[in-house]
Amino acid sequence: MRTLIVGSGPTGLILGASLARRGHEVMSVDRDPGPTGGAWIRRGVMQFEHAHGFRPQVPMALQAEWPAALKSWLSLGAQPVEAPDSAGSPQVLGVLSRRSTFERALRHAATKQPGLTLRTGHVDGLVLDRGHVVGARVDGSLVEANLVVDASGRAGHLGRTSAQDGGPELDGDCGLAYVDRTYQLIPGAEPGPMTTPIAHFAEFDGYQCLVFLHESGHFSVVFVRPTGDAALKALRFEAAFEAACHAIPALSEWTEPARAHPTSQVLVGGALRNIYRRQTGKPGLVAVGDSVATTTPTRGRGIAMACMQVTALLTLLDDGADPSTVAEPFGAWCDHHIEPWVADHIAIDGGMVRRWQGQDLDPSLPLTSDLIAAAVEADPRIGQHAAGYFAMTALPETLRPAEPLARAAYQRGWRPTYAAGPKRDDLVNVIRGAVPAA
């Protein structure tokens, strides 16, 4: 089978290498030529330098489908985090790594993968024959293929000419914006406080902070705020960012000069949307990864969902699905296994923004997944329903049996405890003290 993959990001490369390892002829096309030395600027990939968390679905997919890429990733310093499961066997909880390190590892392994050709170029459009996609034009030249894969990412619209032609089934502005900055621990320094084995999550009255630990002592500090909160927008200034870190006890520990030094400017993330797109219905064309679904990055689900999709698509092809029609069963799989996560994000993000704006939750209404899961603090019985949700091995609906338990806690007046640190108005004062014009 000849396959043309549009996009050489993680999804395109993992799928392309997996098909090549099966003996197929694969070409992956991207405008980015890849790393050519020390610096690598991924134009059009806003999230490349931003904080990332890698869930276990990612190393599991690489171990099963492309072990050379996993080996390359580990050789660049990526650190698996393990903990014993209920039987005492080691269980991977995630991998500590920067996104840039991950993509470098994939590119390196891809250049050595027989059957996979990497091409730098621009895809001008699809080529159809009697309604079937038979290839694409790359920089004006025809590249024929039995299957064309749209792995062009969140901005890709390959084969989509209108809202009715495979437009988003779900589309919601998450109402959140974020800024982050990368640091590296000084040799010999230990990481700061962690609320999970791979990250530190802290909820405050009006905003959220996260610390993602990466490889070789690198880490990212992230502030998440409502998009409409103009005062907190000043966190994009270095002086305001550092003052905010100093005002929050946990972040102060992480970023104190005796422990770490910054390795980047303050990075601004924006245009965040939760989107789910169905397949276009064009025979011979299938969309994967961010071309299917994008979610708010704060929960680290994006690359995990992409790996889940790659595994499902490979299973269908291995089972004999016709490349020209595989999008139909794959689309049905995505509708069942991926769309619920996007809907979950839309509900969670909307509720979070409303609470940050001062609106109390109404326990008589359906509770969002984060509220159900958070109530384990008030009722430990909820934990038995939440493990699969947190690990993304069970869909959000598996939390529903715990909803009555959570509702009872909220009706009693219980609310999640905020982390130690300034409330939103106090943080604004901190920012204004650091940047008077903010």
Side-chain angles (χ1 to χ4, degrees):
M1 179 177 70
R2 288 177 299 176
T3 303
L4 173 63
I5 298 178
V6 182
S8 297
T11 307
L13 291 182
I14 296 172
L15 177 60
S18 301
L19 290 172
R21 282 168 49 82
R22 287 163 166 74
H24 299 296
E25 179 184 338
V26 183
M27 176 182 289
S28 184
V29 179
D30 198 296
R31 289 177 291 183
D32 192 309
T36 56
W40 183 17
I41 300 174
R42 288 279 273 133
R43 291 181 175 84
V45 185
M46 177 272 292
Q47 67 271 28
F48 185 65
E49 295 291 351
H50 286 275
H52 266 73
F54 292 90
R55 289 175 172 269
Q57 286 85 350
V58 183
M60 288 170 57
L62 292 180
Q63 182 61 56
E65 298 294 346
W66 196 12
L70 180 58
K71 181 179 179 181
S72 177
W73 194 17
L74 297 178
S75 73
L76 293 181
Q79 302 172 37
V81 177
E82 296 182 340
D85 61 16
S86 57
S89 301
Q91 177 184 20
V92 175
L93 303 179
V95 177
L96 306 182
S97 175
R98 291 170 292 174
R99 167 72 176 255
S100 56
T101 302
F102 179 58
E103 290 214 35
R104 280 182 182 274
L106 297 186
R107 285 278 187 146
H108 176 75
T111 61
K112 299 179 179 297
Q113 176 59 55
L116 174 60
T117 300
L118 301 182
R119 177 171 171 177
T120 303
H122 180 265
V123 175
D124 303 318
L126 299 172
V127 176
L128 284 75
D129 180 12
R130 289 169 289 185
H132 285 245
V133 176
V134 295
R137 293 201 175 276
V138 180
D139 295 328
S141 300
L142 172 62
V143 177
E144 296 181 337
N146 305 108
L147 177 64
V148 175
V149 178
D150 178 8
S152 57
R154 65 184 64 203
H157 300 286
L158 193 65
R160 303 178 192 273
T161 58
S162 68
Q164 291 73 36
D165 186 14
E169 182 71 14
L170 298 176
D171 184 359
D173 184 339
C174 70
L176 304 172
Y178 71 97
V179 295
D180 60 341
R181 194 178 195 192
T182 60
Y183 300 78
Q184 188 172 23
L185 295 171
I186 292 171
E190 293 295 321
M194 303 275 280
T195 56
T196 77
I198 61 175
H200 176 81
F201 296 87
E203 190 81 22
F204 298 89
D205 182 9
Y207 64 101
Q208 185 182 65
C209 292
L210 307 91
V211 178
F212 288 97
L213 186 58
H214 306 308
E215 85 285 357
S216 304
H218 291 278
F219 64 93
S220 298
V221 175
V222 187
F223 284 90
V224 185
R225 63 171 177 87
T227 304
D229 193 329
L232 291 183
K233 187 177 180 180
L235 285 165
R236 70 187 187 277
F237 297 115
E238 182 178 314
F241 190 98
E242 291 301 321
C245 287
H246 182 71
I248 297 170
L251 298 191
S252 181
E253 287 190 52
W254 273 97
T255 61
E256 63 176 327
R259 187 190 296 268
H261 61 88
T263 57
S264 78
Q265 299 176 330
V266 179
L267 307 172
V268 179
L272 303 179
R273 303 191 71 82
N274 295 307
I275 292 176
Y276 179 76
R277 296 186 179 95
R278 298 190 186 279
Q279 300 295 317
T280 65
K282 289 182 171 62
L285 174 67
V286 63
V288 295
D290 281 356
S291 296
V292 172
T294 61
T295 53
T296 315
T298 51
R299 296 179 182 270
R301 291 173 176 172
I303 295 180
M305 290 195 299
C307 287
M308 292 160 60
Q309 292 176 53
V310 167
T311 300
L313 180 58
L314 290 170
T315 299
L316 289 168
L317 292 170
D318 289 346
D319 290 344
D322 188 334
S324 68
T325 58
V326 70
E328 183 176 349
F330 177 65
W333 182 91
C334 289
D335 289 348
H336 180 74
H337 294 278
I338 300 298
E339 185 176 6
W341 292 109
V342 179
D344 190 55
H345 267 273
I346 290 174
I348 288 175
D349 293 344
M352 183 183 300
V353 170
R354 288 190 293 273
R355 292 193 300 277
W356 284 354
Q357 293 173 339
Q359 179 178 325
D360 193 16
L361 64 90
D362 185 346
S364 67
L365 298 176
L367 298 177
T368 54
S369 299
D370 60 326
L371 292 176
I372 297 173
V376 70
E377 181 183 333
D379 191 334
R381 292 176 295 174
I382 293 173
Q384 63 184 313
H385 302 282
Y389 170 77
F390 283 126
M392 290 186 70
T393 57
L395 292 173
E397 64 188 22
T398 60
L399 281 173
R400 286 302 137 196
E403 186 173 10
L405 301 175
R407 176 172 287 107
Y410 288 114
Q411 288 174 335
R412 291 194 301 269
W414 178 87
R415 296 293 183 271
T417 304
Y418 287 126
K423 295 183 178 181
R424 181 266 177 194
D425 291 348
D426 296 327
L427 185 64
V428 169
N429 290 331
V430 168
I431 291 171
R432 288 174 176 164
V435 185

